[in-house]
Every structure is written in C-alpha cells, then in structure tokens.
Coordinates of all heavy atoms in Angstrom, one line a residue:
M21 N 6.0 -10.8 -21.9 CA 5.4 -11.5 -20.7 C 5.9 -12.9 -20.6 O 6.1 -13.6 -21.6 CB 3.9 -11.4 -20.8 CG 3.2 -12.1 -19.7 SD 1.5 -11.6 -19.5 CE 1.0 -12.7 -18.3
S22 N 6.2 -13.3 -19.4 CA 6.7 -14.7 -19.2 C 5.6 -15.7 -19.2 O 4.4 -15.3 -19.1 CB 7.4 -14.7 -17.8 OG 6.4 -14.5 -16.8
S23 N 5.9 -16.9 -19.5 CA 4.9 -17.9 -19.6 C 4.4 -18.3 -18.2 O 5.2 -18.1 -17.2 CB 5.5 -19.1 -20.3 OG 6.5 -19.7 -19.6
T24 N 3.2 -18.8 -18.1 CA 2.7 -19.2 -16.8 C 2.9 -20.7 -16.5 O 3.0 -21.5 -17.5 CB 1.2 -18.8 -16.7 OG1 0.5 -19.5 -17.8 CG2 1.0 -17.3 -16.9
S25 N 2.9 -21.0 -15.3 CA 3.0 -22.4 -14.9 C 1.7 -23.2 -15.1 O 0.6 -22.6 -15.2 CB 3.4 -22.5 -13.4 OG 2.4 -22.0 -12.6
Q26 N 1.8 -24.5 -15.1 CA 0.6 -25.3 -15.2 C -0.3 -25.0 -14.0 O -1.5 -25.0 -14.1 CB 1.0 -26.8 -15.2 CG -0.2 -27.7 -15.5 CD -0.9 -27.5 -16.8 OE1 -0.3 -27.4 -17.8 NE2 -2.2 -27.3 -16.8
K27 N 0.3 -24.8 -12.8 CA -0.5 -24.5 -11.6 C -1.3 -23.2 -11.8 O -2.5 -23.2 -11.4 CB 0.5 -24.4 -10.4 CG -0.2 -24.3 -9.1 CD 0.9 -24.3 -8.0 CE 0.3 -24.3 -6.6 NZ 1.3 -24.3 -5.5
H28 N -0.6 -22.2 -12.4 CA -1.3 -20.9 -12.7 C -2.5 -21.2 -13.6 O -3.6 -20.7 -13.4 CB -0.3 -20.0 -13.3 CG -0.8 -18.7 -13.7 ND1 -0.5 -17.5 -13.1 CD2 -1.7 -18.3 -14.7 CE1 -1.1 -16.5 -13.7 NE2 -1.8 -17.0 -14.7
R29 N -2.2 -21.9 -14.7 CA -3.3 -22.1 -15.7 C -4.4 -22.9 -15.1 O -5.6 -22.6 -15.4 CB -2.7 -22.8 -16.9 CG -1.7 -21.9 -17.8 CD -1.3 -22.6 -19.1 NE -0.5 -23.8 -18.9 CZ 0.8 -23.8 -18.7 NH1 1.5 -22.7 -18.7 NH2 1.4 -25.0 -18.6
N30 N -4.1 -23.9 -14.3 CA -5.2 -24.7 -13.7 C -6.1 -23.8 -12.8 O -7.3 -23.9 -12.7 CB -4.6 -25.8 -12.8 CG -4.0 -26.9 -13.7 OD1 -4.2 -27.0 -14.9 ND2 -3.3 -27.8 -13.1
F31 N -5.4 -22.9 -12.0 CA -6.1 -22.0 -11.1 C -7.0 -21.1 -11.8 O -8.2 -20.9 -11.4 CB -5.2 -21.3 -10.2 CG -5.9 -20.5 -9.1 CD1 -6.2 -21.2 -7.9 CD2 -6.2 -19.2 -9.2 CE1 -6.8 -20.5 -6.8 CE2 -6.9 -18.5 -8.2 CZ -7.2 -19.2 -7.0
V32 N -6.5 -20.5 -12.9 CA -7.3 -19.4 -13.6 C -8.4 -20.1 -14.5 O -9.3 -19.4 -14.9 CB -6.3 -18.6 -14.5 CG1 -7.0 -17.6 -15.3 CG2 -5.3 -17.9 -13.5
A33 N -8.3 -21.4 -14.7 CA -9.3 -22.0 -15.6 C -10.7 -22.2 -15.0 O -11.6 -22.5 -15.8 CB -8.7 -23.4 -16.0
E34 N -10.8 -22.0 -13.7 CA -12.1 -22.3 -13.1 C -12.4 -21.4 -11.9 O -11.5 -20.8 -11.4 CB -12.2 -23.8 -12.7 CG -11.2 -24.2 -11.7 CD -11.1 -25.7 -11.5 OE1 -11.6 -26.5 -12.4 OE2 -10.5 -26.1 -10.5
P35 N -13.7 -21.4 -11.5 CA -14.0 -20.6 -10.3 C -13.2 -21.1 -9.1 O -12.8 -22.2 -9.0 CB -15.5 -20.9 -10.1 CG -16.0 -21.2 -11.5 CD -14.9 -22.0 -12.1
M36 N -13.0 -20.2 -8.1 CA -12.1 -20.4 -7.0 C -12.7 -21.4 -6.0 O -12.1 -22.3 -5.5 CB -11.8 -19.1 -6.3 CG -10.6 -19.1 -5.4 SD -10.1 -17.5 -4.8 CE -9.7 -16.6 -6.3
G37 N -14.0 -21.2 -5.7 CA -14.7 -22.0 -4.7 C -13.9 -22.1 -3.4 O -13.5 -21.1 -2.9
E38 N -13.7 -23.3 -2.9 CA -13.0 -23.5 -1.6 C -11.6 -24.0 -1.8 O -11.1 -24.7 -0.9 CB -13.8 -24.5 -0.8 CG -15.2 -24.1 -0.4 CD -15.2 -23.0 0.7 OE1 -14.3 -23.1 1.6 OE2 -16.0 -22.1 0.7
K39 N -10.9 -23.6 -2.9 CA -9.6 -24.1 -3.1 C -8.6 -23.7 -2.0 O -8.7 -22.6 -1.4 CB -9.0 -23.5 -4.4 CG -9.7 -24.1 -5.6 CD -9.0 -23.5 -6.9 CE -9.7 -24.1 -8.1 NZ -9.1 -23.6 -9.4
P40 N -7.7 -24.6 -1.6 CA -6.8 -24.2 -0.5 C -5.8 -23.2 -1.0 O -5.6 -23.0 -2.3 CB -6.1 -25.6 -0.2 CG -6.2 -26.4 -1.5 CD -7.5 -25.9 -2.1
V41 N -5.1 -22.5 -0.1 CA -4.2 -21.4 -0.5 C -3.0 -22.0 -1.3 O -2.5 -21.3 -2.1 CB -3.7 -20.7 0.8 CG1 -2.8 -21.6 1.7 CG2 -3.0 -19.4 0.5
T42 N -2.7 -23.3 -1.1 CA -1.6 -23.9 -1.9 C -1.9 -24.1 -3.3 O -1.0 -24.4 -4.1 CB -1.2 -25.2 -1.2 OG1 -2.3 -26.0 -1.0 CG2 -0.5 -25.0 0.1
D43 N -3.2 -23.9 -3.7 CA -3.5 -24.0 -5.2 C -3.1 -22.7 -5.9 O -3.0 -22.7 -7.2 CB -5.0 -24.2 -5.4 CG -5.4 -25.7 -5.2 OD1 -4.6 -26.5 -4.8 OD2 -6.6 -26.0 -5.5
L44 N -2.7 -21.7 -5.2 CA -2.3 -20.4 -5.9 C -0.9 -20.6 -6.4 O 0.0 -21.2 -5.7 CB -2.3 -19.3 -4.9 CG -3.6 -18.7 -4.4 CD1 -3.5 -17.9 -3.2 CD2 -4.2 -17.9 -5.5
A45 N -0.6 -20.1 -7.6 CA 0.7 -20.1 -8.2 C 1.7 -19.4 -7.2 O 1.3 -18.4 -6.6 CB 0.7 -19.5 -9.5
G46 N 2.9 -19.9 -7.0 CA 3.8 -19.3 -6.2 C 3.7 -19.7 -4.7 O 4.6 -19.4 -3.9
V47 N 2.7 -20.4 -4.3 CA 2.5 -20.8 -2.9 C 2.6 -22.3 -2.8 O 1.7 -23.1 -3.3 CB 1.1 -20.3 -2.4 CG1 0.9 -20.8 -1.0 CG2 1.0 -18.8 -2.5
G48 N 3.7 -22.8 -2.2 CA 3.9 -24.2 -2.0 C 3.5 -24.6 -0.6 O 2.8 -23.8 0.1
E49 N 4.0 -25.7 -0.1 CA 3.6 -26.2 1.2 C 4.1 -25.2 2.3 O 3.4 -25.0 3.3 CB 4.1 -27.6 1.4 CG 3.4 -28.7 0.6 CD 1.9 -28.7 0.9 OE1 1.5 -28.7 2.0 OE2 1.2 -28.8 -0.1
V50 N 5.3 -24.8 2.2 CA 5.9 -23.9 3.3 C 5.2 -22.6 3.4 O 4.7 -22.2 4.5 CB 7.4 -23.7 3.1 CG1 8.0 -22.7 4.1 CG2 8.2 -25.0 3.2
L51 N 5.0 -21.9 2.3 CA 4.3 -20.6 2.3 C 2.8 -20.8 2.7 O 2.2 -20.0 3.4 CB 4.4 -19.9 0.9 CG 5.8 -19.3 0.5 CD1 5.6 -18.5 -0.7 CD2 6.4 -18.5 1.6
G52 N 2.3 -21.9 2.2 CA 0.9 -22.3 2.5 C 0.7 -22.4 4.0 O -0.3 -21.8 4.5
K53 N 1.6 -23.1 4.7 CA 1.5 -23.2 6.1 C 1.6 -21.9 6.8 O 0.9 -21.6 7.8 CB 2.6 -24.2 6.7 CG 2.4 -25.6 6.3 CD 1.2 -26.2 7.1 CE 1.1 -27.7 6.8 NZ -0.3 -28.2 6.8
R54 N 2.6 -21.0 6.3 CA 2.7 -19.7 6.9 C 1.5 -18.9 6.7 O 1.1 -18.1 7.7 CB 3.9 -19.0 6.3 CG 5.3 -19.6 6.7 CD 6.4 -18.9 6.0 NE 7.7 -19.6 6.2 CZ 8.7 -19.5 5.5 NH1 8.7 -18.7 4.4 NH2 9.8 -20.1 5.7
L55 N 0.9 -18.9 5.6 CA -0.3 -18.2 5.3 C -1.5 -18.7 6.2 O -2.2 -17.9 6.7 CB -0.7 -18.2 3.8 CG 0.2 -17.3 2.9 CD1 0.0 -17.7 1.4 CD2 -0.2 -15.9 3.1
E56 N -1.6 -20.0 6.3 CA -2.7 -20.6 7.1 C -2.5 -20.1 8.5 O -3.5 -19.8 9.2 CB -2.6 -22.1 7.0 CG -3.1 -22.6 5.7 CD -2.9 -24.1 5.5 OE1 -2.6 -24.8 6.5 OE2 -3.0 -24.6 4.4
T57 N -1.3 -20.1 9.0 CA -1.0 -19.7 10.4 C -1.5 -18.2 10.6 O -1.9 -17.9 11.7 CB 0.5 -19.9 10.8 OG1 0.8 -21.2 10.6 CG2 0.8 -19.4 12.2
A58 N -1.3 -17.4 9.6 CA -1.7 -16.0 9.6 C -3.2 -15.8 9.3 O -3.7 -14.7 9.3 CB -0.9 -15.2 8.6
G59 N -3.9 -16.9 9.1 CA -5.4 -16.8 8.9 C -5.8 -16.8 7.5 O -7.0 -16.7 7.2
F60 N -4.9 -17.0 6.6 CA -5.2 -17.1 5.2 C -5.2 -18.5 4.7 O -4.3 -18.9 4.0 CB -4.2 -16.2 4.4 CG -4.3 -14.8 4.8 CD1 -3.5 -14.3 5.8 CD2 -5.1 -13.9 4.1 CE1 -3.6 -12.9 6.2 CE2 -5.2 -12.5 4.5 CZ -4.4 -12.1 5.5
D61 N -6.2 -19.3 5.0 CA -6.2 -20.7 4.8 C -6.8 -21.1 3.4 O -6.6 -22.2 2.9 CB -7.0 -21.4 5.9 CG -8.4 -20.9 6.0 OD1 -8.7 -19.8 5.7 OD2 -9.3 -21.7 6.5
K62 N -7.6 -20.2 2.8 CA -8.2 -20.5 1.5 C -7.7 -19.5 0.5 O -7.4 -18.3 0.8 CB -9.7 -20.5 1.6 CG -10.3 -21.5 2.6 CD -10.2 -22.9 2.0 CE -10.9 -23.8 3.0 NZ -10.8 -25.2 2.6
A63 N -7.7 -19.9 -0.8 CA -7.3 -19.0 -1.8 C -8.2 -17.7 -1.8 O -7.7 -16.6 -2.1 CB -7.4 -19.7 -3.2
Y64 N -9.5 -17.9 -1.6 CA -10.4 -16.7 -1.6 C -10.1 -15.7 -0.5 O -10.3 -14.5 -0.6 CB -11.9 -17.1 -1.6 CG -12.4 -17.7 -0.3 CD1 -12.7 -16.8 0.8 CD2 -12.5 -19.0 -0.1 CE1 -13.2 -17.4 2.0 CE2 -13.0 -19.6 1.1 CZ -13.3 -18.7 2.1 OH -13.8 -19.3 3.3
V65 N -9.4 -16.1 0.6 CA -9.1 -15.2 1.7 C -7.9 -14.3 1.2 O -7.8 -13.1 1.4 CB -8.7 -15.9 3.0 CG1 -8.4 -14.9 4.1 CG2 -9.9 -16.8 3.4
V66 N -6.9 -15.0 0.5 CA -5.8 -14.2 -0.1 C -6.3 -13.3 -1.2 O -5.9 -12.2 -1.3 CB -4.7 -15.2 -0.7 CG1 -3.6 -14.4 -1.4 CG2 -4.2 -16.1 0.4
L67 N -7.3 -13.8 -2.0 CA -8.0 -12.9 -3.0 C -8.6 -11.6 -2.3 O -8.4 -10.5 -2.8 CB -9.1 -13.6 -3.7 CG -9.9 -12.8 -4.7 CD1 -9.1 -12.2 -5.8 CD2 -11.1 -13.6 -5.2
G68 N -9.2 -11.8 -1.2 CA -9.7 -10.7 -0.4 C -8.7 -9.7 -0.1 O -8.8 -8.5 -0.3
Q69 N -7.5 -10.1 0.4 CA -6.4 -9.2 0.7 C -5.9 -8.5 -0.6 O -5.6 -7.3 -0.6 CB -5.3 -10.0 1.3 CG -4.1 -9.1 1.8 CD -4.5 -8.1 2.9 OE1 -5.4 -8.3 3.6 NE2 -3.8 -7.0 2.9
F70 N -5.8 -9.3 -1.7 CA -5.4 -8.8 -3.0 C -6.4 -7.6 -3.4 O -5.9 -6.6 -3.9 CB -5.5 -9.9 -4.0 CG -5.3 -9.6 -5.4 CD1 -4.0 -9.4 -5.9 CD2 -6.3 -9.4 -6.3 CE1 -3.8 -9.1 -7.3 CE2 -6.1 -9.1 -7.6 CZ -4.8 -9.0 -8.1
L71 N -7.7 -7.8 -3.2 CA -8.6 -6.8 -3.5 C -8.6 -5.6 -2.6 O -8.7 -4.4 -3.0 CB -10.0 -7.4 -3.6 CG -10.3 -8.4 -4.7 CD1 -11.6 -9.1 -4.5 CD2 -10.1 -7.8 -6.1
V72 N -8.4 -5.8 -1.3 CA -8.2 -4.8 -0.3 C -7.1 -3.9 -0.7 O -7.1 -2.6 -0.5 CB -8.1 -5.3 1.1 CG1 -7.6 -4.3 2.1 CG2 -9.4 -5.9 1.6
L73 N -6.0 -4.5 -1.2 CA -4.8 -3.7 -1.7 C -5.0 -3.1 -3.1 O -4.1 -2.7 -3.7 CB -3.6 -4.6 -1.6 CG -3.2 -5.1 -0.2 CD1 -2.1 -6.1 -0.2 CD2 -2.8 -3.9 0.7
K74 N -6.2 -3.2 -3.6 CA -6.6 -2.6 -4.8 C -5.8 -3.1 -6.0 O -5.5 -2.4 -7.0 CB -6.5 -1.1 -4.8 CG -7.5 -0.5 -3.7 CD -7.4 1.0 -3.7 CE -8.4 1.5 -2.7 NZ -8.4 3.0 -2.6
K75 N -5.5 -4.4 -6.0 CA -4.8 -5.1 -7.0 C -3.4 -4.5 -7.3 O -2.9 -4.6 -8.4 CB -5.6 -5.2 -8.3 CG -7.0 -5.9 -8.2 CD -7.7 -5.9 -9.5 CE -9.1 -6.3 -9.4 NZ -9.8 -6.2 -10.7
D76 N -2.8 -3.8 -6.4 CA -1.6 -3.1 -6.5 C -0.4 -4.1 -6.3 O -0.3 -4.7 -5.2 CB -1.4 -2.0 -5.5 CG -0.2 -1.2 -5.6 OD1 0.9 -1.7 -5.2 OD2 -0.2 -0.1 -6.1
K77 N 0.4 -4.4 -7.3 CA 1.4 -5.4 -7.3 C 2.4 -5.1 -6.2 O 2.8 -6.0 -5.5 CB 2.1 -5.5 -8.7 CG 3.1 -6.7 -8.7 CD 3.6 -6.9 -10.1 CE 4.5 -8.1 -10.1 NZ 4.9 -8.5 -11.5
E78 N 2.9 -3.9 -6.1 CA 3.9 -3.6 -5.1 C 3.4 -3.8 -3.7 O 4.1 -4.4 -2.9 CB 4.4 -2.2 -5.3 CG 5.6 -1.8 -4.5 CD 6.1 -0.4 -4.7 OE1 6.0 0.1 -5.9 OE2 6.5 0.3 -3.8
L79 N 2.2 -3.3 -3.4 CA 1.6 -3.5 -2.1 C 1.4 -5.0 -1.8 O 1.6 -5.5 -0.7 CB 0.3 -2.7 -2.0 CG 0.4 -1.2 -1.9 CD1 -0.9 -0.6 -1.9 CD2 1.2 -0.8 -0.7
F80 N 0.9 -5.7 -2.8 CA 0.6 -7.2 -2.6 C 1.9 -7.9 -2.3 O 2.0 -8.8 -1.4 CB -0.1 -7.8 -3.8 CG -0.5 -9.2 -3.6 CD1 -1.6 -9.5 -2.8 CD2 0.2 -10.2 -4.2 CE1 -2.0 -10.9 -2.6 CE2 -0.1 -11.5 -4.0 CZ -1.2 -11.9 -3.2
Q81 N 2.9 -7.7 -3.1 CA 4.2 -8.4 -2.9 C 4.8 -8.0 -1.5 O 5.3 -8.9 -0.9 CB 5.2 -8.0 -4.0 CG 4.8 -8.7 -5.3 CD 5.9 -8.6 -6.4 OE1 6.0 -7.6 -7.1 NE2 6.7 -9.6 -6.4
E82 N 4.7 -6.8 -1.1 CA 5.2 -6.4 0.2 C 4.4 -7.1 1.3 O 4.9 -7.6 2.3 CB 5.1 -4.9 0.4 CG 5.7 -4.4 1.7 CD 7.2 -4.6 1.8 OE1 7.9 -4.7 0.8 OE2 7.6 -4.8 3.0
W83 N 3.1 -7.2 1.1 CA 2.2 -7.9 2.1 C 2.6 -9.4 2.2 O 2.7 -9.9 3.3 CB 0.7 -7.8 1.7 CG -0.1 -8.7 2.5 CD1 -0.6 -8.4 3.8 CD2 -0.6 -10.0 2.2 NE1 -1.3 -9.5 4.2 CE2 -1.4 -10.4 3.3 CE3 -0.5 -10.8 1.1 CZ2 -2.0 -11.7 3.3 CZ3 -1.1 -12.0 1.1 CH2 -1.8 -12.5 2.2
M84 N 2.9 -10.0 1.0 CA 3.3 -11.5 1.1 C 4.6 -11.6 1.7 O 4.8 -12.6 2.5 CB 3.3 -12.0 -0.4 CG 1.9 -12.4 -0.9 SD 2.0 -13.6 -2.2 CE 2.5 -15.1 -1.4
K85 N 5.5 -10.7 1.5 CA 6.8 -10.8 2.1 C 6.7 -10.7 3.6 O 7.3 -11.5 4.4 CB 7.7 -9.6 1.6 CG 9.1 -9.6 2.1 CD 10.0 -8.5 1.6 CE 11.3 -8.5 2.2 NZ 12.1 -7.3 1.7
E86 N 5.9 -9.7 4.1 CA 5.7 -9.6 5.5 C 4.9 -10.7 6.2 O 5.2 -11.1 7.3 CB 5.0 -8.2 5.8 CG 5.8 -7.0 5.5 CD 5.0 -5.7 5.6 OE1 3.8 -5.8 5.9 OE2 5.6 -4.7 5.3
T87 N 3.9 -11.2 5.5 CA 3.0 -12.2 6.0 C 3.6 -13.6 6.1 O 3.4 -14.3 7.0 CB 1.7 -12.2 5.3 OG1 1.2 -10.9 5.3 CG2 0.7 -13.1 5.9
C88 N 4.3 -14.0 5.0 CA 4.7 -15.4 4.9 C 6.2 -15.5 4.4 O 6.6 -16.6 4.0 CB 3.8 -16.2 4.0 SG 3.7 -15.7 2.3
S89 N 6.9 -14.4 4.4 CA 8.3 -14.4 3.9 C 8.5 -14.9 2.5 O 9.5 -15.5 2.2 CB 9.2 -15.3 4.9 OG 9.1 -14.8 6.2
A90 N 7.5 -14.6 1.6 CA 7.6 -15.0 0.2 C 8.7 -14.1 -0.4 O 8.9 -13.0 -0.1 CB 6.3 -14.7 -0.5
N91 N 9.5 -14.8 -1.4 CA 10.4 -14.0 -2.1 C 9.7 -13.3 -3.3 O 8.5 -13.5 -3.5 CB 11.6 -14.9 -2.6 CG 11.2 -16.0 -3.6 OD1 10.3 -15.8 -4.4 ND2 11.8 -17.2 -3.5
S92 N 10.5 -12.6 -4.1 CA 9.9 -11.8 -5.1 C 9.2 -12.6 -6.2 O 8.2 -12.3 -6.7 CB 10.8 -10.8 -5.7 OG 12.0 -11.4 -6.2
K93 N 9.9 -13.8 -6.5 CA 9.3 -14.7 -7.6 C 8.0 -15.3 -7.1 O 7.0 -15.3 -7.8 CB 10.3 -15.8 -7.9 CG 9.8 -16.9 -8.7 CD 10.1 -16.8 -10.2 CE 9.8 -18.1 -11.0 NZ 8.4 -18.3 -11.2
Q94 N 8.0 -15.8 -5.9 CA 6.8 -16.4 -5.3 C 5.6 -15.3 -5.3 O 4.5 -15.6 -5.7 CB 7.0 -16.9 -3.9 CG 8.0 -18.1 -3.9 CD 8.6 -18.4 -2.5 OE1 8.8 -17.5 -1.7 NE2 8.8 -19.7 -2.2
S95 N 5.9 -14.2 -4.7 CA 4.8 -13.2 -4.6 C 4.4 -12.6 -6.0 O 3.2 -12.4 -6.2 CB 5.3 -12.0 -3.7 OG 6.4 -11.4 -4.2
S96 N 5.3 -12.6 -6.9 CA 5.0 -12.1 -8.3 C 4.1 -13.2 -9.0 O 3.1 -12.9 -9.6 CB 6.2 -11.9 -9.1 OG 5.9 -11.5 -10.4
D97 N 4.4 -14.5 -8.8 CA 3.6 -15.5 -9.4 C 2.2 -15.5 -8.8 O 1.2 -15.7 -9.5 CB 4.3 -16.9 -9.1 CG 5.5 -17.1 -10.0 OD1 5.8 -16.3 -10.9 OD2 6.2 -18.2 -9.7
C98 N 2.1 -15.3 -7.5 CA 0.8 -15.3 -6.8 C 0.0 -14.1 -7.3 O -1.2 -14.2 -7.6 CB 1.0 -15.3 -5.3 SG -0.5 -15.5 -4.4
Y99 N 0.7 -13.0 -7.4 CA 0.0 -11.8 -7.9 C -0.6 -12.0 -9.3 O -1.7 -11.7 -9.5 CB 1.0 -10.6 -7.9 CG 0.4 -9.4 -8.6 CD1 -0.5 -8.5 -7.9 CD2 0.6 -9.1 -9.9 CE1 -1.0 -7.4 -8.5 CE2 0.0 -8.1 -10.6 CZ -0.8 -7.2 -9.9 OH -1.4 -6.1 -10.5
E100 N 0.3 -12.5 -10.2 CA -0.2 -12.7 -11.5 C -1.3 -13.7 -11.6 O -2.3 -13.5 -12.4 CB 1.0 -13.1 -12.4 CG 2.1 -12.1 -12.6 CD 1.6 -10.8 -13.3 OE1 0.7 -10.9 -14.1 OE2 2.2 -9.8 -13.0
C101 N -1.3 -14.7 -10.8 CA -2.3 -15.7 -10.8 C -3.6 -15.1 -10.3 O -4.7 -15.3 -11.0 CB -1.9 -16.8 -9.8 SG -3.0 -18.2 -9.7
L102 N -3.6 -14.3 -9.3 CA -4.9 -13.6 -8.8 C -5.3 -12.6 -9.8 O -6.5 -12.5 -10.0 CB -4.6 -13.0 -7.4 CG -4.5 -14.0 -6.3 CD1 -4.1 -13.4 -5.0 CD2 -5.8 -14.8 -6.1
K103 N -4.4 -11.9 -10.4 CA -4.8 -10.8 -11.4 C -5.5 -11.5 -12.6 O -6.5 -11.0 -13.0 CB -3.5 -10.1 -11.8 CG -3.8 -9.0 -12.9 CD -2.5 -8.3 -13.2 CE -2.7 -7.4 -14.4 NZ -3.1 -8.1 -15.7
D104 N -4.9 -12.5 -13.1 CA -5.5 -13.2 -14.2 C -6.8 -13.8 -13.9 O -7.8 -13.8 -14.7 CB -4.5 -14.3 -14.8 CG -3.3 -13.7 -15.5 OD1 -3.3 -12.5 -15.7 OD2 -2.4 -14.5 -15.8
W105 N -7.0 -14.4 -12.6 CA -8.2 -14.9 -12.2 C -9.3 -13.8 -12.2 O -10.4 -14.0 -12.6 CB -8.1 -15.6 -10.8 CG -9.3 -16.3 -10.5 CD1 -9.6 -17.6 -10.7 CD2 -10.5 -15.8 -9.8 NE1 -10.9 -18.0 -10.2 CE2 -11.4 -16.8 -9.7 CE3 -10.8 -14.5 -9.3 CZ2 -12.7 -16.7 -9.1 CZ3 -12.0 -14.4 -8.7 CH2 -13.0 -15.4 -8.6
C106 N -8.9 -12.7 -11.6 CA -9.9 -11.5 -11.6 C -10.3 -11.1 -13.0 O -11.5 -10.8 -13.2 CB -9.3 -10.4 -10.8 SG -9.2 -10.6 -9.0
D107 N -9.3 -11.0 -13.9 CA -9.6 -10.6 -15.3 C -10.6 -11.6 -15.9 O -11.5 -11.2 -16.7 CB -8.3 -10.6 -16.1 CG -7.4 -9.4 -15.7 OD1 -7.9 -8.5 -15.0 OD2 -6.2 -9.5 -16.1
E108 N -10.5 -12.9 -15.5 CA -11.4 -13.9 -16.1 C -12.8 -13.9 -15.4 O -13.8 -14.1 -16.1 CB -10.7 -15.3 -15.9 CG -11.5 -16.4 -16.6 CD -11.4 -16.4 -18.1 OE1 -10.5 -15.8 -18.7 OE2 -12.4 -16.9 -18.7
F109 N -12.8 -13.7 -14.1 CA -14.1 -14.0 -13.4 C -14.8 -12.8 -12.8 O -15.9 -12.9 -12.3 CB -13.9 -15.0 -12.3 CG -13.6 -16.4 -12.9 CD1 -12.3 -16.9 -13.0 CD2 -14.6 -17.2 -13.4 CE1 -12.0 -18.1 -13.5 CE2 -14.3 -18.4 -13.9 CZ -13.0 -18.9 -14.0
L110 N -14.1 -11.6 -12.6 CA -14.7 -10.5 -12.0 C -15.1 -9.4 -13.1 O -14.5 -9.3 -14.1 CB -13.8 -9.8 -11.0 CG -13.4 -10.6 -9.8 CD1 -12.6 -9.7 -8.8 CD2 -14.7 -11.0 -9.0

C-alpha cells in the first residue's frame, strides 16, 4: 500500500463536520471549484455520493472523472481518503 499524504492523514484524523470539499485528499482548488459548481461544496456531500455508490472504487473514480474531470491519481486519492475516514468513523 502506498503512503498517504499529510492532507489525507489530517482529514482522516477527525470528524468531517463542515469541511470544504478541498480538504479531501486529491481535491485541490481546480477540482474543488468544479465539484462546487456541480453541487458538491462540502466534503460530506462527496461522502454521500461515495456511499450511494456503495464504496465501489471503480464507480467512484468514474463519477469523479465525469463530474470534475479528475485524473486517476486524484480520484484514487479521494477514494482512499473517504474509505479510510469511513473505516475510522462509521
């Protein structure tokens, strides 16, 4: 397994609350703006989509590609971040 980024570790370390979508690993300013434009302005809204897709990596990565033009690294980082958060808090 690859090591996680500091952003990933920070996100997984505490409850999500009202964190902005850009706090998710793999989501920077550009993807964040695209997600916000699509209605996904908070991390918990992206978590909702993650759960609707039943935590399926392939479906989630495809959704990110279609929704905000994320590349495979960005969508994989975001998936792993949400997966680890769920393992910790759900």
Side-chain angles (χ1 to χ4, degrees):
M21 175 157 174
S22 61
S23 63
T24 56
S25 67
Q26 186 63 48
K27 189 174 182 181
H28 176 112
R29 290 189 295 276
N30 289 347
F31 189 85
V32 174
E34 60 189 18
M36 197 172 300
E38 295 287 323
K39 288 183 180 180
V41 70
T42 51
D43 279 8
L44 288 164
V47 179
E49 291 303 314
V50 173
L51 291 187
K53 291 285 184 213
R54 291 177 187 160
L55 285 166
E56 288 172 13
T57 299
F60 298 88
D61 58 334
K62 300 287 185 186
Y64 70 81
V65 183
V66 178
L67 172 67
Q69 184 65 28
F70 174 81
L71 296 173
V72 164
L73 296 172
K74 300 182 178 179
K75 303 181 190 177
D76 182 286
K77 186 172 186 172
E78 187 176 326
L79 290 175
F80 184 77
Q81 288 191 273
E82 185 63 29
W83 171 81
M84 280 199 73
K85 181 179 177 184
E86 292 172 2
T87 305
C88 63
S89 303
N91 65 34
S92 59
K93 167 101 171 72
Q94 292 164 325
S95 60
S96 179
D97 287 351
C98 188
Y99 170 85
E100 293 299 332
C101 183
L102 288 170
K103 179 181 169 297
D104 289 351
W105 187 91
C106 286
D107 290 346
E108 185 70 28
F109 292 100
L110 293 186

